[in-house]
Amino acid sequence: MKFLLVTDLDNTLVGDDEATQILNQRLQSMRSQFCLVYATGRSHASTCELIAQKQLLAPDYTLAGVGSEIYQNGTLDLDWAEYISQDWDKMAIASLAQQFKQLQPQSLTEQNPWKISYCLQPAPENSSILQTLQQKLTASGLSAQIIFSSNRDLDILPKTSNKGNALTYLQQRLQISSEATLVCGDSGNDISMFEQDVRGVIVANALPELLAWHRECGNQNHYLAGSGCAGGIMEGMTYFWRL
Ligand code: GLC
Ligand code: MG
């Protein structure tokens, strides 16, 4: 059997260096049984830097920019790019979002053709901005989704693209069953992964936004780990796969 392991990086695979190294060794010893996928909010370049810095295993695929880009061996998946480009008007969406002065654009390196990212300072007067922005997008006939993470990061992506949709695209292409697919995450931009037909482990250090989702929508396919970061991933592998 071939397993599909899809893991977020920051504060999931990475965050506890010792646990990361133990998991790395375990995965390495069974490397041919796994398709290893990193699903991250980071750009592809920043993902490669982190892989080098933390000595992570080379993944089979990277879902970068919250699933807006799929890379295999450094090559962008153009079928995915074409698919998510339908009904996506980046210029119009960005100019609408610019009207919200509370939204501070993130650095250029974190923007890509299918991802517009901002920082939003936590403040009571900012709490309704997500809803207002979504309403304005809808009223203007602009198709997009807003993903809010860590009480700070606001990403605008095509409706068709997020970590969850990207992983399902891969899962179908690789023909891997839901039982053999495990997703791992800690924050808001991971929620879409847990919504797919997969098994999922929420690491112990997960943020309130993901824990709230779990309380409302979690089921027997979702496991709340007792350990944080990579330790939680290992627990999940044992819980679902007896590995
Ligand atoms: C990463 C990305 C950032 C994004 C955030 C949440 O930190 O660098 O652009 O907003 O993840 O998805
Ligand atoms: Mg994370």
Side-chain angles (χ1 to χ4, degrees), residues 8-12 163 185-187 189-190:
D8 169 51
L9 295 177
D10 292 280
N11 301 313
T12 303
K163 289 187 182 185
D186 75 296
S187 83
N189 74 6
D190 299 312

Side-chain angles (χ1 to χ4, degrees), residues 10 40-43 46 65-66 106 110-111 115 117-118 147-150 152-155 163 187 189:
D10 292 280
T40 175
R42 289 177 180 246
S43 65
S46 153
V66 200
Q106 289 183 17
E110 292 309 314
Q111 318 287 342
K115 172 175 178 275
S117 292
Y118 298 91
I147 300 178
F148 194 49
S149 311
S150 314
R152 184 199 54 212
D153 299 323
L154 190 148
D155 302 313
K163 289 187 182 185
S187 83
N189 74 6

Side-chain angles (χ1 to χ4, degrees), residues 130-145:
L130 272 92
Q131 219 184 339
T132 315
L133 176 59
Q134 185 61 68
Q135 279 163 359
K136 289 215 166 175
L137 288 167
T138 309
S140 312
L142 293 169
S143 163
Q145 68 182 301

Side-chain angles (χ1 to χ4, degrees), residues 6 8 24 44 65 71 75 84 128 158 162 167 175 194 223:
V6 185
D8 169 51
N24 267 355
H44 185 246
Y71 286 88
T75 305
I84 66 171
S128 60
N162 52 37
L167 94 86
Q175 297 196 315
F194 293 98
Y223 174 73

